[in-house]
Amino acid sequence: MRPLIAGNWKMNTDLKQGVDLVLALRDLVKGHDSVDCVIAPPFTAIHHLSHLLAGSGIEMCAQDIFWEKSGAYTGEISGEMLVSAGCRHVIIGHSERRQFFGETDETVNKKVLAALRHGLKPIMCVGESLDEREANKTIQTVCSQVKKGLAGLSGTALRDIAVAYEPIWAIGTGRTATPQQAEEVHNSIRGLLYELFDGATVKETRIIYGGSVKGDNIDVLMAQPNIDGALVGGASLKADEFARIVKFQPV
Ligand code: PGA
């Protein structure tokens, strides 16, 4: 399966910093086309940076989407707007959105379906809190999020989805899940997808890991059979570090 490495810039970079980062990254990953490389800058930079990405092989991603087409929804951004600004992918249901902005599995599901309607490829995030992990509820929590997030999806649409497993306790903390911990959850997600969808499609569905991914841990993570890529936060803000992640070598 073709790996997906996505950089989530979160609420970082002004336009000039974004331009500098893209120009540096473009050079560093030039010709490295065995991986789908995606960046998710803030909304305000998407259109401008999309032009700089033309011909680079790097694709544009948004950090969120709203499910309505247009209308009186102050502050929201529709799928049509994202596509017209150059996006091909969209991150949905990041734990920070769930924690700080009231996202639920139901809103995540509406956003996933809306993204697909517009031809955008969702990167749907799931993950357990530390309390849930310590109470042995990791698999139950994550599988419930996956099931609810993908409700109503037709079998072949799954092909365009990436599920990002991001344990909340590993995000921005420097504390990465061990490759074994991540693989266990990825394997369970894959098992659930086999129960819900057509097997041939599930085989092609990428399940990517996120949470303190860096240049020095990507190689062991990518060596796991069910880890098909990474969603990278902090380390995606440094061109060298992110390029190193894109050029991972499984060990
Ligand atoms: P991090 O963030 O790499 O900074 O831990 C990952 C994410 O939130 O997607």
Side-chain angles (χ1 to χ4, degrees):
M1 187 163 0
R2 200 176 150 79
L4 170 66
I5 305 288
N8 175 10
W9 294 8
K10 308 192 180 181
M11 197 175 75
N12 294 293
T13 70
D14 61 19
L15 204 45
K16 159 118 185 32
Q17 291 164 329
V19 168
D20 291 346
L21 187 48
V22 160
L23 293 180
L25 190 62
R26 224 175 47 172
D27 285 346
L28 288 165
V29 302
K30 200 174 184 168
H32 192 80
D33 47 17
S34 54
V35 168
D36 283 343
C37 174
V38 165
I39 55 165
F43 285 128
T44 46
I46 286 176
H47 182 238
H48 187 62
L49 298 184
S50 287
H51 287 291
L52 298 182
L53 292 183
S56 70
I58 304 171
E59 292 184 347
M60 186 54 80
C61 180
Q63 297 178 19
D64 193 17
I65 181 176
F66 188 55
W67 56 81
E68 293 291 346
K69 248 177 103 87
S70 62
Y73 303 102
T74 303
E76 293 299 325
I77 308 278
S78 71
E80 204 170 296
M81 293 170 186
L82 294 177
V83 170
S84 74
C87 285
R88 315 242 342 238
H89 307 258
V90 56
I91 297 169
I92 295 173
H94 190 281
S95 62
E96 287 150 16
R97 303 263 354 139
R98 294 179 190 253
Q99 190 181 344
F100 302 128
F101 303 100
E103 298 248 349
T104 62
D105 292 327
E106 288 66 37
T107 60
V108 168
N109 179 241
K110 284 183 171 184
K111 290 181 176 191
V112 166
L113 297 175
L116 292 170
R117 277 199 301 278
H118 288 93
L120 288 161
K121 297 182 177 179
I123 300 175
M124 186 185 81
C125 304
V126 297
E128 82 286 6
S129 65
L130 189 57
D131 283 352
E132 286 161 339
R133 173 158 286 267
E134 285 173 350
N136 278 327
K137 289 193 173 143
T138 297
I139 302 294
Q140 184 189 326
T141 304
V142 168
C143 284
S144 159
Q145 290 170 337
V146 171
K147 200 169 175 177
K148 290 178 181 163
L150 299 181
L153 204 78
S154 80
T156 50
L158 184 71
R159 209 169 267 145
D160 288 328
I161 306 252
V163 178
Y165 168 56
E166 299 204 299
I168 296 170
W169 47 271
I171 295 178
T173 58
R175 193 176 155 195
T176 324
T178 64
Q180 294 70 28
Q181 282 174 323
E183 172 61 21
E184 185 200 0
V185 180
H186 283 227
N187 191 39
S188 299
I189 295 173
R190 181 95 55 205
L192 172 66
L193 294 178
Y194 274 116
E195 280 171 31
L196 299 174
F197 298 97
D198 157 68
T201 311
V202 175
K203 265 202 189 110
E204 292 173 31
T205 304
R206 290 180 289 201
I207 305 175
I208 67 177
Y209 170 79
S212 298
V213 173
K214 306 265 182 309
D216 63 10
N217 57 28
I218 186 70
D219 295 344
V220 284
L221 288 163
M222 290 306 293
Q224 299 299 316
N226 284 293
I227 300 186
D228 309 312
L231 181 53
V232 184
S236 71
L237 294 169
K238 296 174 215 133
D240 290 358
E241 180 90 11
F242 190 60
R244 167 66 184 85
I245 294 171
V246 171
K247 295 177 185 173
F248 70 87
Q249 298 285 341
V251 286

